[in-house]
Amino acid sequence: MTTSGPPWAPDHPVLEALRNRRAKGHRPDAPADDLKIGLAVEGGGIRGVISAAMLCALEDTELITAFDGVYAASSGAINSAYFLNGDTWYPLSIYYDDLATRRFVDLRRLFRGQILDLDYAFEVIDNGKPLDYDAVITSPTALHVAVTLVDELRTEAATDFTSREDLRSALIASAWLPVALRGTAEFRGRRAVDGGVLTQHPYRLALDDGCTHVLSLSTRPIQPPAERLGLSQRYGVRHLNRIRPGLGDGYAEAAARYRGERRTLQRRMTEPGEAPYVLDLAPLSWMPMVKRHELDPGRIMAGARGAYEVMYCAIEGHDPALIRNGLLRAVPQLTIVAKEHGPAGRGRSGRDAGRAPA
């Protein structure tokens, strides 16, 4: 970092609105203002550990109840479901404790069409570090899960979930990454794939839903976007067009559109412009990059640490130059997570004490 200041305006309207709500004790059932503040959460496979760490920082800075809606895709949607439970330690630890293994991701399975094993991931989510689906459904803050409807060629921001199974199928569909998984998922009787195929970042869903302020969490570093599709993306276009003619073309168009949007988002970090306001936060360019299929637990942890530090600095008004200079660090803490068993014998999580930011 240089001494010219942080890459975002310290008094950005989104940050000011969140601080004001925290100070006034805003809750969805007791609003502190007439704003509509959305939280947009990007995923990206293992790279979702970045948004998980940012959500952990939002919980630790007492902002869980500050949002009117959460809009998320892929692994970001799973992170967001835990966030609404107040269990952000769980999704963070899942990445380096449970998913950094070839049981979950193995590029050698490419030609079998199953680089990822979602069954294994959801075994962890359902039983190992259980997500309380019912608490998400009844949360006063609505979760909107981005799902790409294959035959309709559009993105649906699924919400108003009718059951545990309905929410679970939305999370699976949103994380159904083409190429890494064979075929398509099914959501409410329709073919579906990853929520980021036709809408590259869920911040757009928040704006479409009328949000006046959006805190956008991106898992790719703050840097100029690539000018053209990479090799794997070009392969993805062909693969998607085989699933449904026009789907791959729509993906290419969405990627090109988002390249321009990302430039605008980066400019609006320091020049907020007019409402609606969007603040897009992401790892800084010099921080370790986490790949979509990352298996190195150390790199995953380093990415989580940096993301937590960025969010903390933004919310609390600190210059992130302090991070690079070693004057501000997220220090991992050990903590106890105990399981309580109800009448049906299902595990229910609860953090006994302490914080574990990264």
Side-chain angles (χ1 to χ4, degrees), residues 74-146:
S74 189
S75 55
I78 297 169
N79 295 343
S80 298
Y82 279 106
F83 175 71
L84 293 178
N85 277 189
D87 281 336
T88 52
W89 164 241
Y90 264 6
L92 187 62
S93 67
I94 284 171
Y95 287 97
Y96 51 78
D97 277 349
D98 304 290
L99 300 187
T101 169
R102 291 195 184 278
R103 183 174 176 185
F104 174 61
V105 54
D106 191 343
L107 294 174
R108 295 173 299 183
R109 299 196 297 256
L110 171 63
F111 296 107
R112 291 163 49 193
Q114 195 183 7
I115 294 175
L116 301 180
D117 187 342
L118 278 190
D119 288 340
Y120 166 69
F122 273 83
E123 173 63 24
V124 175
I125 293 166
D126 292 340
N127 300 306
K129 297 178 178 177
L131 171 66
D132 188 339
Y133 290 94
D134 292 329
V136 178
I137 293 169
T138 59
S139 170
T141 304
L143 175 63
H144 304 257
V145 178

Side-chain angles (χ1 to χ4, degrees), residues 17-18 21-33 37 39 58-59 61-70 83-84 86 139-141:
L18 289 172
R21 283 193 166 185
R22 180 174 63 178
K24 293 183 176 181
H26 171 94
R27 302 192 316 271
D29 60 342
D33 52 51
I37 303 182
L39 175 63
L58 287 175
E59 180 183 0
T61 53
E62 302 179 338
L63 285 168
I64 284 183
T65 63
F67 301 96
D68 298 295
V70 181
F83 175 71
L84 293 178
S139 170
T141 304

Side-chain angles (χ1 to χ4, degrees), residues 10 21 49 76 100 125 141 194 208 217 221 231 235 241 245 316 321 329 342 349:
R21 283 193 166 185
V49 73
I125 293 166
T141 304
D194 187 288
D208 291 345
L217 313 188
L231 179 62
Y235 178 78
N241 277 334
E316 302 299 351
R329 299 303 307 274
S349 65

